[in-house]
């Protein structure tokens, strides 16, 4: 998710459509189902969105039509509402004053209650984001007024960037579950992005995080043009899984670099779950930093045993089981010469359904590995996430059904070890009470009612 504002007289040079494109390109890992950019020239908002990766949706000819001095962009990974064109973002609504375009990272947990506030107003899509956009667009007094009224009653995870014709807005839920940062572009423009890495890629400088419970409006080049206010008291509960898997390694969240955290987790994993072996290999690339840390702390040489095709998307983040299983085979190929006859430690970031690890262990054995010891740089994912990760139901999570020995047996490893929750938290250097750890310990910082749990809750014809 990405937003940019530059002074109108810089619009031609800055090409905000392209800045948004590069920003989304840097954030592609956060969602791969659809992509979109809304741009305004001060009098009219134009939205272009479609299904597919950022590079599939946009080309030179499309980007050359996106003129203006402010833009918001989004790459979607669906958690409420199917992956359809209508649910692609930014969402757009006409207001009494013009238009409103909105991009949302996270997942709301009181969507039905919010939908009731629409007083029967028609929805054109089935996502939580559509409901929020409709609510913000139908209030009197413009987006800021509407946000002051609606955000305090909006529950769940929401990092937002939205815009009308002339102003860029940003907001973050009081728990600050998903990251959101503010950056400076050439001392005259402003950028808001899901991760600091996206600031780097467009040449913007990190200024600060958008605080939990904060609402910001930007419509000028000066520091004083960033008008920030609180709509709720902050209750920080940043997502621990961002450090494990979701965020880019070159991103920093709450002052802690993600790569450094992952390497440190690997070191701690080696101390918690040592094993005699000849080589430590990662499941590339998400297991790489922890494998480096494991090798460093254990003294076992680090090597490459699996080659990844980087052009295949993440496996669990895609929505259907068929695609997921195909994805694993397309993605990894073992290096027989490096593996044959060796006792391997294979480090991966997480086990969700167990399909990836089962196939990785089988691939390594087929390639001649003498032993395969799996080490995981997160605790077992035993509980679903309702705040923006589609882990699905508890029954689909292998750790929701099996203990560690059962999982080891199921994936066919010689041994299996998970980092403990305490060690993971210690590696993150964030205080435990400022983190959401619900998928690991079942303690949900924002209680979720049963009625608000389904991905398809606004799609009654779907199961
Ligand atoms: S449940 Fe897990 S993935 Fe979801 S926000 Fe909490 S820590 Fe992150």
């Amino acid at each position: 998710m990405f937003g940019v504002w530059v002074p109108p007289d810089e619009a031609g040079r800055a090409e905000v459509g392209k800045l948004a494109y590069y920003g989304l390109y840097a954030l592609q890992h956060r969602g791969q189902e659809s992509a979109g950019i809304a741009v305004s020239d001060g009098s009219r908002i134009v939205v272009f969105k479609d299904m597919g990766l950022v590079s599939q949706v946009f080309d030179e000819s499309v980007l050359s039509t996106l003129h203006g001095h402010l833009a918001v962009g989004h790459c979607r990974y669906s958690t409420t509402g199917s992956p359809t064109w209508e649910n692609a973002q930014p969402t757009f609504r006409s207001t009494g004053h013009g238009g409103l375009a909105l991009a949302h990272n996270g997942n709301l947990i009181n969507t039905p209650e919010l939908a009731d506030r629409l007083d029967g107003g028609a929805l054109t899509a089935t996502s939580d984001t559509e409901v929020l956009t409709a609510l913000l667009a139908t209030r009197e007094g413009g987006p800021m007024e509407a946000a002051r009224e609606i955000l305090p009653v909006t529950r769940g995870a929401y990092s937002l960037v939205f815009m009308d014709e002339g102003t860029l807005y940003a907001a973050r839920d009081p728990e600050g579950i998903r990251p959101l940062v503010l950056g400076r572009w050439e001392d005259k423009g402003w950028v808001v992005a899901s991760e600091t890495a996206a600031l780097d890629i467009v040449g913007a400088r990190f200024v600060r995080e958008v605080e939990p419970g904060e609402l910001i409006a930007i419509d000028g080049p000066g520091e004083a043009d960033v008008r920030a206010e609180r709509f709720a008291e902050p209750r920080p509960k940043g997502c621990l899984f961002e450090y494990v898997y979701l965020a880019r390694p070159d991103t920093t969240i709450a002052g802690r670099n993600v790569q450094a955290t992952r390497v440190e987790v690997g070191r701690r994993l080696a101390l918690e779950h040592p094993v005699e072996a000849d080589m430590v290999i990662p499941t590339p690339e998400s297991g790489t930093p922890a494998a480096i840390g494991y090798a460093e702390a254990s003294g076992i040489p680090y090597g490459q045993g699996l080659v990844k095709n980087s052009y295949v998307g993440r496996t669990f983040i895609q929505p259907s089981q068929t695609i997921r299983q195909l994805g694993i085979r397309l993605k990894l190929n073992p290096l027989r010469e490096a593996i044959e006859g060796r006792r391997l430690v294979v480090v991966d970031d997480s086990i969700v359904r167990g399909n990836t690890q089962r196939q990785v262990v089988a691939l390594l054995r087929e390639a001649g590995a003498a032993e395969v010891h799996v080490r995981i740089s997160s605790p077992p994912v035993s509980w679903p996430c309702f705040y923006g990760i589609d882990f699905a139901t508890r029954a689909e999570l292998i750790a929701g059904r099996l203990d560690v020995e059962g999982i080891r047996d199921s994936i066919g490893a010689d041994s299996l070890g998970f980092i403990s929750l305490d060690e993971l938290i210690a590696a993150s250097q964030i205080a435990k009470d400022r983190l959401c750890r619900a998928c690991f310990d079942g303690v949900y910082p924002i209680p979720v009612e049963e009625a608000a749990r389904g991905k398809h809750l606004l799609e009654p014809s779907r199961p």
Side-chain angles (χ1 to χ4, degrees):
M1 205 175 64
F2 189 86
V4 53
W5 184 98
V6 302
D9 59 1
E10 293 284 338
R13 193 174 67 83
E15 297 184 278
V16 293
K18 280 196 180 161
L19 285 180
Y21 171 79
Y22 291 126
L24 293 184
Y25 212 95
L27 296 169
Q28 183 73 82
H29 60 288
R30 298 191 73 88
Q32 296 154 9
E33 295 167 7
S34 59
I37 295 173
V39 61
S40 170
D41 59 4
S43 58
R44 194 173 61 118
I45 296 175
V46 172
V47 184
F48 190 92
K49 64 180 188 179
D50 210 341
M51 304 307 292
L53 300 172
V54 176
S55 59
Q56 294 169 318
V57 171
F58 294 98
D59 58 21
E60 271 296 337
S61 67
V62 172
L63 289 172
S64 68
T65 65
L66 298 177
H67 302 295
H69 72 281
L70 69 159
V72 303
H74 190 266
C75 35
R76 181 168 190 247
Y77 152 59
S78 53
T79 50
T80 297
S82 297
T84 60
W85 186 90
E86 289 74 17
N87 285 337
Q89 299 183 32
T91 45
F92 177 82
R93 279 268 167 164
S94 293
T95 68
H97 320 274
L100 178 85
L102 181 143
H104 167 209
N105 180 211
N107 190 60
L108 305 185
I109 57 155
N110 65 335
T111 304
E113 188 188 314
L114 292 174
D116 286 345
R117 287 177 177 259
L118 283 169
D119 302 326
L123 293 173
T124 54
T126 55
S127 69
D128 50 347
T129 312
E130 168 74 4
V131 173
L132 188 57
T133 311
L135 276 174
L136 292 174
T138 49
R139 302 290 120 165
E140 296 294 324
M144 198 69 174
E145 277 293 302
R148 284 185 191 120
E149 180 188 339
I150 297 303
L151 296 184
V153 296
T154 303
R155 292 197 299 123
Y158 52 96
S159 285
L160 306 174
V161 287
F162 51 110
M163 62 190 262
D164 56 19
E165 282 72 10
T167 305
L168 180 69
Y169 304 88
R172 200 169 169 207
D173 57 83
E175 286 76 14
I177 288 184
R178 300 279 150 234
L180 192 64
V181 292
L182 176 69
R184 192 71 158 132
W185 181 82
E186 290 192 357
D187 292 328
K188 56 187 92 156
W190 300 98
V191 174
V192 180
S194 293
E195 295 188 27
T196 59
L199 302 182
D200 301 336
I201 270 89
V202 300
R205 174 173 53 81
F206 172 77
V207 175
R208 66 175 178 85
E209 302 224 340
V210 176
E211 297 294 328
E214 189 179 34
L215 170 64
I216 292 177
I218 302 170
D219 56 5
E223 309 272 330
D225 297 313
V226 178
R227 288 171 285 124
E229 62 187 56
R230 287 215 180 281
F231 64 87
E233 280 306 306
R235 304 181 286 268
K237 294 284 179 193
C239 169
L240 184 54
F241 206 67
E242 293 275 352
Y243 293 96
V244 170
Y245 173 85
L246 258 188
R248 284 173 58 130
D250 49 347
T251 275
T252 294
I253 307 171
R256 178 62 168 150
N257 173 258
V258 171
Q259 169 82 1
T261 304
R262 290 176 186 169
V263 173
E264 179 60 21
V265 173
R267 290 190 196 106
R268 290 168 184 260
L269 186 57
L271 300 178
E272 270 200 323
H273 297 286
V275 64
E276 281 199 18
D278 304 311
M279 186 163 73
V280 178
I281 66 167
T283 302
E285 288 155 357
S286 47
T288 302
I292 291 169
Y294 194 102
E296 196 186 299
S298 65
I300 303 169
Y302 173 88
Q304 205 187 357
L306 292 161
V307 174
K308 182 187 174 189
N309 180 344
S310 309
Y311 299 94
V312 181
R314 292 183 161 201
T315 52
F316 89 79
I317 214 159
Q318 295 173 10
S320 86
Q321 186 70 11
T322 326
I323 293 172
R324 269 194 294 274
Q325 281 176 349
L326 186 64
I328 292 159
R329 287 182 185 281
L330 288 170
K331 200 165 106 171
L332 296 170
N333 202 27
L335 275 168
R336 179 174 285 277
E337 289 71 18
I339 290 168
E340 207 157 21
R342 291 218 160 100
R343 298 170 300 170
L344 302 176
V345 179
V346 189
V347 182
D348 206 346
D349 60 279
S350 55
I351 295 186
V352 177
R353 292 171 177 84
N355 298 331
T356 306
Q357 289 73 23
R358 191 174 303 111
Q359 294 191 44
V360 164
V361 172
L363 280 176
L364 293 171
R365 290 207 194 280
E366 276 167 36
E371 292 172 16
V372 182
H373 302 277
V374 175
R375 296 293 178 270
I376 303 295
S377 61
S378 63
V381 175
S382 307
W383 302 88
C385 173
F386 302 107
Y387 313 134
I389 309 281
D390 188 17
F391 288 147
T393 62
R394 188 145 199 249
E396 289 174 275
L397 297 170
I398 192 166
R401 290 181 279 115
L402 301 174
D403 62 9
V404 174
E405 175 53 22
I407 300 170
R408 184 208 61 74
D409 187 52
S410 170
I411 66 174
D414 291 294
S415 73
L416 172 63
F418 292 86
I419 189 86
S420 65
L421 185 55
D422 284 347
E423 289 295 317
L424 171 60
I425 291 169
S428 79
Q429 297 182 354
I430 311 283
K432 184 175 183 179
D433 64 359
R434 295 174 75 91
L435 287 165
C436 173
R437 310 100 40 187
C439 52
F440 305 123
D441 66 7
V443 179
Y444 291 92
I446 319 169
V448 188
E449 285 165 24
E450 194 59 44
R453 291 188 173 199
K455 176 172 179 175
H456 305 293
L457 51 86
L458 297 177
E459 297 165 348
S461 57
R462 292 195 52 150

